[in-house]
Each structure stands twice: as structure tokens, then as C-alpha cells.
PDB file of all heavy atoms in Angstrom:
ATOM      1  N   ILE E   1       5.210   4.056  35.154  1.00  0.00           N
ATOM      2  CA  ILE E   1       5.135   4.194  33.700  1.00  0.00           C
ATOM      3  C   ILE E   1       4.972   5.673  33.366  1.00  0.00           C
ATOM      4  O   ILE E   1       4.047   6.335  33.858  1.00  0.00           O
ATOM      5  CB  ILE E   1       3.965   3.380  33.116  1.00  0.00           C
ATOM      6  CG1 ILE E   1       4.134   1.892  33.435  1.00  0.00           C
ATOM      7  CG2 ILE E   1       3.873   3.589  31.602  1.00  0.00           C
ATOM      8  CD1 ILE E   1       2.945   1.039  33.036  1.00  0.00           C
ATOM      9  N   LEU E   2       5.896   6.200  32.534  1.00  0.00           N
ATOM     10  CA  LEU E   2       5.798   7.570  32.035  1.00  0.00           C
ATOM     11  C   LEU E   2       5.201   7.520  30.639  1.00  0.00           C
ATOM     12  O   LEU E   2       5.695   6.787  29.780  1.00  0.00           O
ATOM     13  CB  LEU E   2       7.185   8.224  31.963  1.00  0.00           C
ATOM     14  CG  LEU E   2       8.119   8.087  33.162  1.00  0.00           C
ATOM     15  CD1 LEU E   2       9.448   8.768  32.874  1.00  0.00           C
ATOM     16  CD2 LEU E   2       7.481   8.675  34.394  1.00  0.00           C
ATOM     17  N   LEU E   3       4.168   8.302  30.391  1.00  0.00           N
ATOM     18  CA  LEU E   3       3.495   8.256  29.096  1.00  0.00           C
ATOM     19  C   LEU E   3       3.356   9.641  28.486  1.00  0.00           C
ATOM     20  O   LEU E   3       3.050  10.610  29.189  1.00  0.00           O
ATOM     21  CB  LEU E   3       2.089   7.662  29.248  1.00  0.00           C
ATOM     22  CG  LEU E   3       1.944   6.147  29.346  1.00  0.00           C
ATOM     23  CD1 LEU E   3       0.474   5.788  29.515  1.00  0.00           C
ATOM     24  CD2 LEU E   3       2.512   5.464  28.120  1.00  0.00           C
ATOM     25  N   ASN E   4       3.585   9.717  27.194  1.00  0.00           N
ATOM     26  CA  ASN E   4       3.195  10.886  26.411  1.00  0.00           C
ATOM     27  C   ASN E   4       2.264  10.436  25.308  1.00  0.00           C
ATOM     28  O   ASN E   4       2.523   9.434  24.629  1.00  0.00           O
ATOM     29  CB  ASN E   4       4.395  11.596  25.778  1.00  0.00           C
ATOM     30  CG  ASN E   4       3.946  12.669  24.777  1.00  0.00           C
ATOM     31  OD1 ASN E   4       3.788  12.399  23.585  1.00  0.00           O
ATOM     32  ND2 ASN E   4       3.689  13.871  25.277  1.00  0.00           N
ATOM     33  N   ALA E   5       1.175  11.153  25.138  1.00  0.00           N
ATOM     34  CA  ALA E   5       0.254  10.921  24.025  1.00  0.00           C
ATOM     35  C   ALA E   5       0.209  12.180  23.177  1.00  0.00           C
ATOM     36  O   ALA E   5       0.083  13.290  23.711  1.00  0.00           O
ATOM     37  CB  ALA E   5      -1.140  10.572  24.536  1.00  0.00           C
ATOM     38  N   LEU E   6       0.335  12.015  21.868  1.00  0.00           N
ATOM     39  CA  LEU E   6       0.367  13.153  20.950  1.00  0.00           C
ATOM     40  C   LEU E   6      -0.621  12.899  19.822  1.00  0.00           C
ATOM     41  O   LEU E   6      -0.638  11.806  19.235  1.00  0.00           O
ATOM     42  CB  LEU E   6       1.782  13.320  20.380  1.00  0.00           C
ATOM     43  CG  LEU E   6       2.065  14.558  19.530  1.00  0.00           C
ATOM     44  CD1 LEU E   6       1.924  15.824  20.357  1.00  0.00           C
ATOM     45  CD2 LEU E   6       3.471  14.488  18.942  1.00  0.00           C
ATOM     46  N   TYR E   7      -1.442  13.900  19.534  1.00  0.00           N
ATOM     47  CA  TYR E   7      -2.459  13.766  18.483  1.00  0.00           C
ATOM     48  C   TYR E   7      -2.488  15.025  17.642  1.00  0.00           C
ATOM     49  O   TYR E   7      -2.423  16.148  18.170  1.00  0.00           O
ATOM     50  CB  TYR E   7      -3.835  13.530  19.106  1.00  0.00           C
ATOM     51  CG  TYR E   7      -4.959  13.455  18.094  1.00  0.00           C
ATOM     52  CD1 TYR E   7      -5.155  12.311  17.314  1.00  0.00           C
ATOM     53  CD2 TYR E   7      -5.824  14.531  17.911  1.00  0.00           C
ATOM     54  CE1 TYR E   7      -6.180  12.246  16.385  1.00  0.00           C
ATOM     55  CE2 TYR E   7      -6.856  14.468  16.982  1.00  0.00           C
ATOM     56  CZ  TYR E   7      -7.021  13.326  16.215  1.00  0.00           C
ATOM     57  OH  TYR E   7      -8.046  13.252  15.286  1.00  0.00           O
ATOM     58  N   PHE E   8      -2.577  14.832  16.327  1.00  0.00           N
ATOM     59  CA  PHE E   8      -2.657  15.959  15.399  1.00  0.00           C
ATOM     60  C   PHE E   8      -3.661  15.639  14.302  1.00  0.00           C
ATOM     61  O   PHE E   8      -3.672  14.529  13.757  1.00  0.00           O
ATOM     62  CB  PHE E   8      -1.288  16.238  14.757  1.00  0.00           C
ATOM     63  CG  PHE E   8      -1.332  17.298  13.680  1.00  0.00           C
ATOM     64  CD1 PHE E   8      -1.285  18.642  14.004  1.00  0.00           C
ATOM     65  CD2 PHE E   8      -1.435  16.947  12.341  1.00  0.00           C
ATOM     66  CE1 PHE E   8      -1.336  19.624  13.022  1.00  0.00           C
ATOM     67  CE2 PHE E   8      -1.500  17.911  11.348  1.00  0.00           C
ATOM     68  CZ  PHE E   8      -1.443  19.253  11.690  1.00  0.00           C
ATOM     69  N   LYS E   9      -4.514  16.593  14.011  1.00  0.00           N
ATOM     70  CA  LYS E   9      -5.424  16.464  12.875  1.00  0.00           C
ATOM     71  C   LYS E   9      -5.557  17.824  12.213  1.00  0.00           C
ATOM     72  O   LYS E   9      -5.877  18.819  12.858  1.00  0.00           O
ATOM     73  CB  LYS E   9      -6.806  15.963  13.303  1.00  0.00           C
ATOM     74  CG  LYS E   9      -7.727  15.712  12.108  1.00  0.00           C
ATOM     75  CD  LYS E   9      -9.052  15.100  12.541  1.00  0.00           C
ATOM     76  CE  LYS E   9      -9.922  14.782  11.328  1.00  0.00           C
ATOM     77  NZ  LYS E   9     -11.217  14.165  11.737  1.00  0.00           N
ATOM     78  N   GLY E  10      -5.258  17.864  10.934  1.00  0.00           N
ATOM     79  CA  GLY E  10      -5.344  19.116  10.204  1.00  0.00           C
ATOM     80  C   GLY E  10      -5.848  18.897   8.794  1.00  0.00           C
ATOM     81  O   GLY E  10      -5.473  17.918   8.138  1.00  0.00           O
ATOM     82  N   ASN E  11      -6.705  19.787   8.354  1.00  0.00           N
ATOM     83  CA  ASN E  11      -7.137  19.787   6.953  1.00  0.00           C
ATOM     84  C   ASN E  11      -6.173  20.640   6.149  1.00  0.00           C
ATOM     85  O   ASN E  11      -5.675  21.673   6.634  1.00  0.00           O
ATOM     86  CB  ASN E  11      -8.558  20.339   6.824  1.00  0.00           C
ATOM     87  CG  ASN E  11      -9.594  19.397   7.405  1.00  0.00           C
ATOM     88  OD1 ASN E  11      -9.385  18.189   7.472  1.00  0.00           O
ATOM     89  ND2 ASN E  11     -10.712  19.942   7.844  1.00  0.00           N
ATOM     90  N   TRP E  12      -5.886  20.202   4.921  1.00  0.00           N
ATOM     91  CA  TRP E  12      -5.032  21.005   4.055  1.00  0.00           C
ATOM     92  C   TRP E  12      -5.612  22.408   3.903  1.00  0.00           C
ATOM     93  O   TRP E  12      -6.829  22.578   3.777  1.00  0.00           O
ATOM     94  CB  TRP E  12      -4.905  20.384   2.669  1.00  0.00           C
ATOM     95  CG  TRP E  12      -4.434  18.971   2.600  1.00  0.00           C
ATOM     96  CD1 TRP E  12      -5.098  17.914   2.046  1.00  0.00           C
ATOM     97  CD2 TRP E  12      -3.183  18.440   3.076  1.00  0.00           C
ATOM     98  NE1 TRP E  12      -4.351  16.770   2.152  1.00  0.00           N
ATOM     99  CE2 TRP E  12      -3.166  17.061   2.783  1.00  0.00           C
ATOM    100  CE3 TRP E  12      -2.083  19.009   3.730  1.00  0.00           C
ATOM    101  CZ2 TRP E  12      -2.097  16.242   3.111  1.00  0.00           C
ATOM    102  CZ3 TRP E  12      -1.017  18.190   4.068  1.00  0.00           C
ATOM    103  CH2 TRP E  12      -1.024  16.823   3.753  1.00  0.00           C
ATOM    104  N   THR E  13      -4.766  23.419   3.896  1.00  0.00           N
ATOM    105  CA  THR E  13      -5.232  24.770   3.610  1.00  0.00           C
ATOM    106  C   THR E  13      -5.882  24.811   2.236  1.00  0.00           C
ATOM    107  O   THR E  13      -6.911  25.459   2.036  1.00  0.00           O
ATOM    108  CB  THR E  13      -4.049  25.758   3.661  1.00  0.00           C
ATOM    109  OG1 THR E  13      -3.395  25.644   4.937  1.00  0.00           O
ATOM    110  CG2 THR E  13      -4.522  27.179   3.470  1.00  0.00           C
ATOM    111  N   THR E  14      -5.284  24.101   1.295  1.00  0.00           N
ATOM    112  CA  THR E  14      -5.874  23.915  -0.039  1.00  0.00           C
ATOM    113  C   THR E  14      -6.083  22.427  -0.247  1.00  0.00           C
ATOM    114  O   THR E  14      -5.124  21.690  -0.522  1.00  0.00           O
ATOM    115  CB  THR E  14      -4.945  24.462  -1.137  1.00  0.00           C
ATOM    116  OG1 THR E  14      -4.629  25.835  -0.869  1.00  0.00           O
ATOM    117  CG2 THR E  14      -5.607  24.349  -2.503  1.00  0.00           C
ATOM    118  N   PRO E  15      -7.309  21.928  -0.080  1.00  0.00           N
ATOM    119  CA  PRO E  15      -7.542  20.481  -0.171  1.00  0.00           C
ATOM    120  C   PRO E  15      -7.433  19.970  -1.596  1.00  0.00           C
ATOM    121  O   PRO E  15      -7.612  20.720  -2.569  1.00  0.00           O
ATOM    122  CB  PRO E  15      -8.965  20.320   0.365  1.00  0.00           C
ATOM    123  CG  PRO E  15      -9.616  21.643   0.116  1.00  0.00           C
ATOM    124  CD  PRO E  15      -8.533  22.671   0.264  1.00  0.00           C
ATOM    125  N   PHE E  16      -7.119  18.690  -1.717  1.00  0.00           N
ATOM    126  CA  PHE E  16      -7.142  18.026  -3.002  1.00  0.00           C
ATOM    127  C   PHE E  16      -8.602  17.713  -3.358  1.00  0.00           C
ATOM    128  O   PHE E  16      -9.379  17.308  -2.502  1.00  0.00           O
ATOM    129  CB  PHE E  16      -6.365  16.709  -2.952  1.00  0.00           C
ATOM    130  CG  PHE E  16      -4.886  16.870  -2.805  1.00  0.00           C
ATOM    131  CD1 PHE E  16      -4.314  17.143  -1.574  1.00  0.00           C
ATOM    132  CD2 PHE E  16      -4.049  16.746  -3.907  1.00  0.00           C
ATOM    133  CE1 PHE E  16      -2.941  17.285  -1.429  1.00  0.00           C
ATOM    134  CE2 PHE E  16      -2.678  16.887  -3.780  1.00  0.00           C
ATOM    135  CZ  PHE E  16      -2.128  17.161  -2.542  1.00  0.00           C
ATOM    136  N   GLY E  17      -8.943  17.892  -4.604  1.00  0.00           N
ATOM    137  CA  GLY E  17     -10.280  17.515  -5.032  1.00  0.00           C
ATOM    138  C   GLY E  17     -10.397  16.001  -5.129  1.00  0.00           C
ATOM    139  O   GLY E  17      -9.512  15.335  -5.676  1.00  0.00           O
ATOM    140  N   VAL E  18     -11.480  15.441  -4.567  1.00  0.00           N
ATOM    141  CA  VAL E  18     -11.669  13.988  -4.603  1.00  0.00           C
ATOM    142  C   VAL E  18     -11.703  13.496  -6.044  1.00  0.00           C
ATOM    143  O   VAL E  18     -11.191  12.423  -6.369  1.00  0.00           O
ATOM    144  CB  VAL E  18     -12.971  13.606  -3.861  1.00  0.00           C
ATOM    145  CG1 VAL E  18     -13.237  12.103  -3.990  1.00  0.00           C
ATOM    146  CG2 VAL E  18     -12.879  14.004  -2.401  1.00  0.00           C
ATOM    147  N   GLY E  19     -12.280  14.299  -6.944  1.00  0.00           N
ATOM    148  CA  GLY E  19     -12.342  13.900  -8.349  1.00  0.00           C
ATOM    149  C   GLY E  19     -11.000  13.832  -9.019  1.00  0.00           C
ATOM    150  O   GLY E  19     -10.847  13.243 -10.087  1.00  0.00           O
ATOM    151  N   GLY E  20      -9.967  14.440  -8.381  1.00  0.00           N
ATOM    152  CA  GLY E  20      -8.641  14.418  -8.970  1.00  0.00           C
ATOM    153  C   GLY E  20      -7.825  13.203  -8.592  1.00  0.00           C
ATOM    154  O   GLY E  20      -6.715  13.011  -9.098  1.00  0.00           O
ATOM    155  N   THR E  21      -8.349  12.369  -7.689  1.00  0.00           N
ATOM    156  CA  THR E  21      -7.633  11.166  -7.271  1.00  0.00           C
ATOM    157  C   THR E  21      -7.826  10.068  -8.299  1.00  0.00           C
ATOM    158  O   THR E  21      -8.944   9.780  -8.728  1.00  0.00           O
ATOM    159  CB  THR E  21      -8.133  10.690  -5.895  1.00  0.00           C
ATOM    160  OG1 THR E  21      -7.882  11.724  -4.940  1.00  0.00           O
ATOM    161  CG2 THR E  21      -7.426   9.427  -5.456  1.00  0.00           C
ATOM    162  N   THR E  22      -6.713   9.452  -8.694  1.00  0.00           N
ATOM    163  CA  THR E  22      -6.776   8.409  -9.705  1.00  0.00           C
ATOM    164  C   THR E  22      -5.797   7.303  -9.378  1.00  0.00           C
ATOM    165  O   THR E  22      -4.856   7.493  -8.599  1.00  0.00           O
ATOM    166  CB  THR E  22      -6.452   9.000 -11.098  1.00  0.00           C
ATOM    167  OG1 THR E  22      -6.646   7.998 -12.097  1.00  0.00           O
ATOM    168  CG2 THR E  22      -5.030   9.503 -11.154  1.00  0.00           C
ATOM    169  N   SER E  23      -6.008   6.138  -9.951  1.00  0.00           N
ATOM    170  CA  SER E  23      -5.116   5.005  -9.724  1.00  0.00           C
ATOM    171  C   SER E  23      -3.871   5.160 -10.588  1.00  0.00           C
ATOM    172  O   SER E  23      -3.957   5.318 -11.805  1.00  0.00           O
ATOM    173  CB  SER E  23      -5.838   3.698 -10.061  1.00  0.00           C
ATOM    174  OG  SER E  23      -4.982   2.597  -9.862  1.00  0.00           O
ATOM    175  N   MET E  24      -2.696   5.118  -9.940  1.00  0.00           N
ATOM    176  CA  MET E  24      -1.435   5.260 -10.650  1.00  0.00           C
ATOM    177  C   MET E  24      -0.409   4.301 -10.068  1.00  0.00           C
ATOM    178  O   MET E  24      -0.596   3.758  -8.973  1.00  0.00           O
ATOM    179  CB  MET E  24      -0.910   6.700 -10.554  1.00  0.00           C
ATOM    180  CG  MET E  24      -1.805   7.740 -11.207  1.00  0.00           C
ATOM    181  SD  MET E  24      -1.113   9.431 -11.100  1.00  0.00           S
ATOM    182  CE  MET E  24       0.331   9.266 -12.144  1.00  0.00           C
ATOM    183  N   ASN E  25       0.681   4.097 -10.789  1.00  0.00           N
ATOM    184  CA  ASN E  25       1.741   3.212 -10.315  1.00  0.00           C
ATOM    185  C   ASN E  25       2.616   3.924  -9.284  1.00  0.00           C
ATOM    186  O   ASN E  25       2.923   5.108  -9.410  1.00  0.00           O
ATOM    187  CB  ASN E  25       2.619   2.749 -11.480  1.00  0.00           C
ATOM    188  CG  ASN E  25       1.941   1.712 -12.333  1.00  0.00           C
ATOM    189  OD1 ASN E  25       1.122   0.925 -11.851  1.00  0.00           O
ATOM    190  ND2 ASN E  25       2.253   1.691 -13.620  1.00  0.00           N
ATOM    191  N   PHE E  26       3.017   3.172  -8.257  1.00  0.00           N
ATOM    192  CA  PHE E  26       3.981   3.626  -7.258  1.00  0.00           C
ATOM    193  C   PHE E  26       5.075   2.582  -7.186  1.00  0.00           C
ATOM    194  O   PHE E  26       4.802   1.395  -7.036  1.00  0.00           O
ATOM    195  CB  PHE E  26       3.300   3.784  -5.888  1.00  0.00           C
ATOM    196  CG  PHE E  26       4.228   4.286  -4.805  1.00  0.00           C
ATOM    197  CD1 PHE E  26       4.327   5.639  -4.531  1.00  0.00           C
ATOM    198  CD2 PHE E  26       4.993   3.396  -4.053  1.00  0.00           C
ATOM    199  CE1 PHE E  26       5.170   6.111  -3.537  1.00  0.00           C
ATOM    200  CE2 PHE E  26       5.842   3.858  -3.061  1.00  0.00           C
ATOM    201  CZ  PHE E  26       5.931   5.214  -2.801  1.00  0.00           C
ATOM    202  N   LYS E  27       6.330   3.017  -7.309  1.00  0.00           N
ATOM    203  CA  LYS E  27       7.469   2.090  -7.295  1.00  0.00           C
ATOM    204  C   LYS E  27       8.061   2.042  -5.894  1.00  0.00           C
ATOM    205  O   LYS E  27       8.711   2.976  -5.447  1.00  0.00           O
ATOM    206  CB  LYS E  27       8.529   2.546  -8.295  1.00  0.00           C
ATOM    207  CG  LYS E  27       9.738   1.610  -8.367  1.00  0.00           C
ATOM    208  CD  LYS E  27       9.345   0.227  -8.889  1.00  0.00           C
ATOM    209  CE  LYS E  27      10.568  -0.641  -9.148  1.00  0.00           C
ATOM    210  NZ  LYS E  27      11.228  -1.079  -7.883  1.00  0.00           N
ATOM    211  N   PRO E  28       7.833   0.967  -5.147  1.00  0.00           N
ATOM    212  CA  PRO E  28       8.393   0.867  -3.798  1.00  0.00           C
ATOM    213  C   PRO E  28       9.895   0.600  -3.840  1.00  0.00           C
ATOM    214  O   PRO E  28      10.483   0.419  -4.910  1.00  0.00           O
ATOM    215  CB  PRO E  28       7.627  -0.316  -3.192  1.00  0.00           C
ATOM    216  CG  PRO E  28       7.274  -1.161  -4.372  1.00  0.00           C
ATOM    217  CD  PRO E  28       7.045  -0.211  -5.516  1.00  0.00           C
ATOM    218  N   MET E  29      10.507   0.540  -2.669  1.00  0.00           N
ATOM    219  CA  MET E  29      11.949   0.309  -2.605  1.00  0.00           C
ATOM    220  C   MET E  29      12.331  -1.054  -3.150  1.00  0.00           C
ATOM    221  O   MET E  29      13.394  -1.226  -3.734  1.00  0.00           O
ATOM    222  CB  MET E  29      12.428   0.434  -1.152  1.00  0.00           C
ATOM    223  CG  MET E  29      12.315   1.823  -0.599  1.00  0.00           C
ATOM    224  SD  MET E  29      12.977   1.879   1.074  1.00  0.00           S
ATOM    225  CE  MET E  29      12.400   3.494   1.577  1.00  0.00           C
ATOM    226  N   ASP E  30      11.481  -2.021  -2.887  1.00  0.00           N
ATOM    227  CA  ASP E  30      11.742  -3.353  -3.420  1.00  0.00           C
ATOM    228  C   ASP E  30      10.440  -3.907  -3.996  1.00  0.00           C
ATOM    229  O   ASP E  30       9.354  -3.552  -3.583  1.00  0.00           O
ATOM    230  CB  ASP E  30      12.294  -4.291  -2.329  1.00  0.00           C
ATOM    231  CG  ASP E  30      11.507  -4.205  -1.036  1.00  0.00           C
ATOM    232  OD1 ASP E  30      10.268  -4.094  -1.099  1.00  0.00           O
ATOM    233  OD2 ASP E  30      12.131  -4.234   0.038  1.00  0.00           O
ATOM    234  N   GLY E  31      10.569  -4.760  -4.977  1.00  0.00           N
ATOM    235  CA  GLY E  31       9.391  -5.330  -5.608  1.00  0.00           C
ATOM    236  C   GLY E  31       8.927  -4.526  -6.803  1.00  0.00           C
ATOM    237  O   GLY E  31       9.504  -3.493  -7.165  1.00  0.00           O
ATOM    238  N   ASP E  32       7.868  -5.037  -7.431  1.00  0.00           N
ATOM    239  CA  ASP E  32       7.328  -4.401  -8.624  1.00  0.00           C
ATOM    240  C   ASP E  32       6.426  -3.226  -8.263  1.00  0.00           C
ATOM    241  O   ASP E  32       5.983  -3.074  -7.129  1.00  0.00           O
ATOM    242  CB  ASP E  32       6.537  -5.428  -9.437  1.00  0.00           C
ATOM    243  CG  ASP E  32       7.410  -6.583  -9.909  1.00  0.00           C
ATOM    244  OD1 ASP E  32       8.601  -6.334 -10.174  1.00  0.00           O
ATOM    245  OD2 ASP E  32       6.901  -7.722  -9.992  1.00  0.00           O
ATOM    246  N   SER E  33       6.145  -2.395  -9.268  1.00  0.00           N
ATOM    247  CA  SER E  33       5.238  -1.267  -9.077  1.00  0.00           C
ATOM    248  C   SER E  33       3.856  -1.762  -8.673  1.00  0.00           C
ATOM    249  O   SER E  33       3.409  -2.842  -9.090  1.00  0.00           O
ATOM    250  CB  SER E  33       5.130  -0.454 -10.365  1.00  0.00           C
ATOM    251  OG  SER E  33       6.372   0.146 -10.685  1.00  0.00           O
ATOM    252  N   VAL E  34       3.209  -0.957  -7.828  1.00  0.00           N
ATOM    253  CA  VAL E  34       1.864  -1.301  -7.366  1.00  0.00           C
ATOM    254  C   VAL E  34       0.937  -0.130  -7.651  1.00  0.00           C
ATOM    255  O   VAL E  34       1.367   1.028  -7.743  1.00  0.00           O
ATOM    256  CB  VAL E  34       1.854  -1.622  -5.861  1.00  0.00           C
ATOM    257  CG1 VAL E  34       2.656  -2.880  -5.566  1.00  0.00           C
ATOM    258  CG2 VAL E  34       2.395  -0.443  -5.047  1.00  0.00           C
ATOM    259  N   LYS E  35      -0.357  -0.432  -7.807  1.00  0.00           N
ATOM    260  CA  LYS E  35      -1.347   0.605  -8.032  1.00  0.00           C
ATOM    261  C   LYS E  35      -1.726   1.259  -6.699  1.00  0.00           C
ATOM    262  O   LYS E  35      -1.976   0.572  -5.715  1.00  0.00           O
ATOM    263  CB  LYS E  35      -2.595   0.010  -8.688  1.00  0.00           C
ATOM    264  CG  LYS E  35      -2.399  -0.441 -10.127  1.00  0.00           C
ATOM    265  CD  LYS E  35      -2.215   0.752 -11.068  1.00  0.00           C
ATOM    266  CE  LYS E  35      -2.152   0.301 -12.516  1.00  0.00           C
ATOM    267  NZ  LYS E  35      -1.964   1.463 -13.440  1.00  0.00           N
ATOM    268  N   VAL E  36      -1.750   2.590  -6.676  1.00  0.00           N
ATOM    269  CA  VAL E  36      -2.155   3.337  -5.484  1.00  0.00           C
ATOM    270  C   VAL E  36      -3.128   4.431  -5.898  1.00  0.00           C
ATOM    271  O   VAL E  36      -3.197   4.821  -7.069  1.00  0.00           O
ATOM    272  CB  VAL E  36      -0.941   3.968  -4.765  1.00  0.00           C
ATOM    273  CG1 VAL E  36       0.034   2.902  -4.316  1.00  0.00           C
ATOM    274  CG2 VAL E  36      -0.247   5.002  -5.652  1.00  0.00           C
ATOM    275  N   ASP E  37      -3.883   4.934  -4.919  1.00  0.00           N
ATOM    276  CA  ASP E  37      -4.737   6.096  -5.156  1.00  0.00           C
ATOM    277  C   ASP E  37      -3.868   7.345  -5.063  1.00  0.00           C
ATOM    278  O   ASP E  37      -3.393   7.713  -3.984  1.00  0.00           O
ATOM    279  CB  ASP E  37      -5.864   6.159  -4.122  1.00  0.00           C
ATOM    280  CG  ASP E  37      -6.904   5.076  -4.318  1.00  0.00           C
ATOM    281  OD1 ASP E  37      -7.061   4.618  -5.467  1.00  0.00           O
ATOM    282  OD2 ASP E  37      -7.558   4.685  -3.337  1.00  0.00           O
ATOM    283  N   MET E  38      -3.642   7.987  -6.196  1.00  0.00           N
ATOM    284  CA  MET E  38      -2.755   9.149  -6.260  1.00  0.00           C
ATOM    285  C   MET E  38      -3.589  10.426  -6.319  1.00  0.00           C
ATOM    286  O   MET E  38      -4.407  10.616  -7.233  1.00  0.00           O
ATOM    287  CB  MET E  38      -1.848   9.060  -7.479  1.00  0.00           C
ATOM    288  CG  MET E  38      -0.752  10.111  -7.523  1.00  0.00           C
ATOM    289  SD  MET E  38       0.603   9.766  -6.369  1.00  0.00           S
ATOM    290  CE  MET E  38       1.465   8.425  -7.209  1.00  0.00           C
ATOM    291  N   MET E  39      -3.416  11.287  -5.316  1.00  0.00           N
ATOM    292  CA  MET E  39      -4.098  12.580  -5.310  1.00  0.00           C
ATOM    293  C   MET E  39      -3.361  13.544  -6.241  1.00  0.00           C
ATOM    294  O   MET E  39      -2.140  13.503  -6.335  1.00  0.00           O
ATOM    295  CB  MET E  39      -4.133  13.145  -3.882  1.00  0.00           C
ATOM    296  CG  MET E  39      -4.786  12.214  -2.869  1.00  0.00           C
ATOM    297  SD  MET E  39      -4.853  12.911  -1.193  1.00  0.00           S
ATOM    298  CE  MET E  39      -3.107  12.972  -0.758  1.00  0.00           C
ATOM    299  N   HIS E  40      -4.117  14.426  -6.887  1.00  0.00           N
ATOM    300  CA  HIS E  40      -3.511  15.333  -7.857  1.00  0.00           C
ATOM    301  C   HIS E  40      -4.072  16.735  -7.675  1.00  0.00           C
ATOM    302  O   HIS E  40      -5.266  16.910  -7.446  1.00  0.00           O
ATOM    303  CB  HIS E  40      -3.784  14.863  -9.292  1.00  0.00           C
ATOM    304  CG  HIS E  40      -3.249  15.798 -10.336  1.00  0.00           C
ATOM    305  ND1 HIS E  40      -4.003  16.232 -11.404  1.00  0.00           N
ATOM    306  CD2 HIS E  40      -2.031  16.414 -10.459  1.00  0.00           C
ATOM    307  CE1 HIS E  40      -3.278  17.046 -12.153  1.00  0.00           C
ATOM    308  NE2 HIS E  40      -2.083  17.174 -11.611  1.00  0.00           N
ATOM    309  N   MET E  41      -3.198  17.726  -7.770  1.00  0.00           N
ATOM    310  CA  MET E  41      -3.616  19.124  -7.736  1.00  0.00           C
ATOM    311  C   MET E  41      -2.606  19.950  -8.516  1.00  0.00           C
ATOM    312  O   MET E  41      -1.398  19.792  -8.334  1.00  0.00           O
ATOM    313  CB  MET E  41      -3.719  19.632  -6.290  1.00  0.00           C
ATOM    314  CG  MET E  41      -4.023  21.122  -6.177  1.00  0.00           C
ATOM    315  SD  MET E  41      -4.432  21.675  -4.491  1.00  0.00           S
ATOM    316  CE  MET E  41      -3.247  20.789  -3.512  1.00  0.00           C
ATOM    317  N   HIS E  42      -3.113  20.842  -9.373  1.00  0.00           N
ATOM    318  CA  HIS E  42      -2.244  21.772 -10.081  1.00  0.00           C
ATOM    319  C   HIS E  42      -2.494  23.160  -9.523  1.00  0.00           C
ATOM    320  O   HIS E  42      -3.609  23.665  -9.567  1.00  0.00           O
ATOM    321  CB  HIS E  42      -2.502  21.759 -11.590  1.00  0.00           C
ATOM    322  CG  HIS E  42      -1.405  22.433 -12.367  1.00  0.00           C
ATOM    323  ND1 HIS E  42      -1.170  23.792 -12.301  1.00  0.00           N
ATOM    324  CD2 HIS E  42      -0.454  21.934 -13.208  1.00  0.00           C
ATOM    325  CE1 HIS E  42      -0.141  24.101 -13.068  1.00  0.00           C
ATOM    326  NE2 HIS E  42       0.308  23.000 -13.635  1.00  0.00           N
ATOM    327  N   SER E  43      -1.459  23.780  -8.986  1.00  0.00           N
ATOM    328  CA  SER E  43      -1.603  25.090  -8.328  1.00  0.00           C
ATOM    329  C   SER E  43      -1.526  26.217  -9.349  1.00  0.00           C
ATOM    330  O   SER E  43      -0.565  26.974  -9.405  1.00  0.00           O
ATOM    331  CB  SER E  43      -0.539  25.270  -7.256  1.00  0.00           C
ATOM    332  OG  SER E  43       0.752  25.077  -7.803  1.00  0.00           O
ATOM    333  N   ARG E  44      -2.549  26.302 -10.195  1.00  0.00           N
ATOM    334  CA  ARG E  44      -2.535  27.342 -11.224  1.00  0.00           C
ATOM    335  C   ARG E  44      -2.694  28.737 -10.617  1.00  0.00           C
ATOM    336  O   ARG E  44      -2.157  29.720 -11.117  1.00  0.00           O
ATOM    337  CB  ARG E  44      -3.655  27.090 -12.235  1.00  0.00           C
ATOM    338  CG  ARG E  44      -3.435  25.838 -13.083  1.00  0.00           C
ATOM    339  CD  ARG E  44      -4.536  25.675 -14.134  1.00  0.00           C
ATOM    340  NE  ARG E  44      -4.258  24.544 -14.995  1.00  0.00           N
ATOM    341  CZ  ARG E  44      -4.641  23.298 -14.725  1.00  0.00           C
ATOM    342  NH1 ARG E  44      -5.312  23.050 -13.611  1.00  0.00           N
ATOM    343  NH2 ARG E  44      -4.361  22.320 -15.566  1.00  0.00           N
TER     344      ARG E  44
END
């Protein structure tokens, strides 16, 4: 058995603020829109 294991963990250089996350609609490829936790950041 030949195996490769790959792992990556990185923090955003500019993280999203937790307070900026809100519930919003996401339209999948099929089916109706669903509510998701949408992260938000404005790069002023």
C-alpha cells in the first residue's frame, strides 16, 4: 500500500470578524435556497 497524507491549516491574513457572520440565503445547484452562515468583510 502506497500512502500520501496531506494536511494544511492556515489562519486568514485578515480574519473575518465573528460579529460579521449572519444568516443569509445560498442558492445551491438544485433545490430551493437554504439558510447558511455567511461571513462578511468590507476591505475599506
